[in-house]
Amino acid sequence: MTVILLRHGRSTSNTAGILAGRSEGVDLDDKGREQAAGLIDRIGDLPIRAVVTSPLLRCRRTVEPLTESLCLEPLVDERIAEVDYGEWTGRKIGDLANEALWRVVQAHPSAAVFPGGEGLAQVQVRAVAAVREHDRRLADEHGGDALWVACTHGDVIKAVIADAYGMHLDGFQRVTADPGSVSVVRYTPLRPFVLHVNQTGARLSAALRAGPPPKDASKGETHGASNEEPQKEEPQKEAAREVPSSDAVVGGSTD
């Protein structure tokens, strides 16, 4: 299963230098609206099966053009909502940089708990659990690999990427997730593969297609296969199919 982790487009709080957190009514600015509209060209031609979004307005606005073009109804999931920054919510970033907790967030984010809010470790647990659950649900619904979008927030994406990389949460500040960026993780039974991080270019790789349906071990058949005669694949792709999807290709990808 493959998830496109989409950070919302640039918001009015981003341009004002304010930590929006879970503040109500924070919308996209002009550039953010352009980024949202641009998603149709960037990822709209990919076989996206579902769009899950944070409940906050800036995320819902970001996915509106894409879901309309795909004729999909977005699913709202509180578990991928923004960090509850508590008393830090609505304050200027420049002022927060002078707080003692700021250094903890930079160097030891696993120990950071925002006053009156939640800890970053809690954020990672809830967000990763949500992504994994949607992966399982979509695998069951579509009989194997499926591509889906989760529209969420910067620190949430960084926490999910850190987990996918197998790095300690204290290293998550090494990950960047700009407004309007996409990061891509493919989950397999053995390990996750991080395919893209902070991609802001014109179009995602066309290689983001569903993998082959899972084989029936007892019959050597694939679930969901059609009666049409299969097309012959290119040699390097045919060779790649011989490697289990959970395994890393020794020597590197052949594509």
Side-chain angles (χ1 to χ4, degrees), residues 101-124:
L101 181 60
W102 182 270
R103 297 313 310 164
V104 179
V105 173
Q106 300 306 308
H108 303 292
S110 65
V113 179
F114 297 97
E118 65 182 332
L120 288 171
Q122 293 173 270
V123 174
Q124 185 179 53

Side-chain angles (χ1 to χ4, degrees), residues 79-155:
R79 294 172 298 174
I80 60 170
E82 177 63 289
V83 179
D84 182 353
Y85 292 110
E87 295 172 16
W88 279 29
T89 302
R91 294 181 59 189
K92 286 275 190 181
I93 299 292
D95 293 339
L96 293 172
N98 296 318
E99 298 279 350
L101 181 60
W102 182 270
R103 297 313 310 164
V104 179
V105 173
Q106 300 306 308
H108 303 292
S110 65
V113 179
F114 297 97
E118 65 182 332
L120 288 171
Q122 293 173 270
V123 174
Q124 185 179 53
V125 169
R126 64 169 165 83
V128 170
V131 169
R132 294 285 196 167
E133 182 179 304
H134 288 296
D135 260 6
R136 290 191 295 270
R137 174 179 63 83
L138 291 167
D140 290 342
E141 289 178 6
H142 299 285
D145 195 14
L147 182 65
W148 63 285
V149 174
C151 184
T152 181
H153 307 268
D155 281 346

Side-chain angles (χ1 to χ4, degrees), residues 148-215:
W148 63 285
V149 174
C151 184
T152 181
H153 307 268
D155 281 346
V156 178
I157 290 172
K158 290 161 62 174
V160 173
I161 293 293
D163 172 79
Y165 271 134
M167 72 168 66
H168 195 280
L169 184 59
D170 284 349
F172 102 136
Q173 298 292 21
R174 301 182 183 196
V175 180
T176 300
D178 293 327
S181 68
V182 294
S183 300
V184 183
V185 181
R186 174 167 289 145
Y187 289 93
T188 75
L190 182 59
R191 64 169 68 85
F193 291 95
V194 179
L195 306 182
H196 294 279
V197 175
N198 199 41
Q199 198 270 4
T200 56
R203 190 179 293 268
L204 267 184
S205 169
L208 286 183
R209 302 289 172 180
K215 286 188 176 182

Side-chain angles (χ1 to χ4, degrees), residues 222-239:
T222 58
H223 298 295
S226 69
N227 293 324
E228 296 178 4
E229 184 177 346
Q231 295 182 344
K232 187 169 181 59
E233 292 186 297
E234 296 174 16
Q236 70 270 28
K237 291 184 179 179
E238 188 175 355

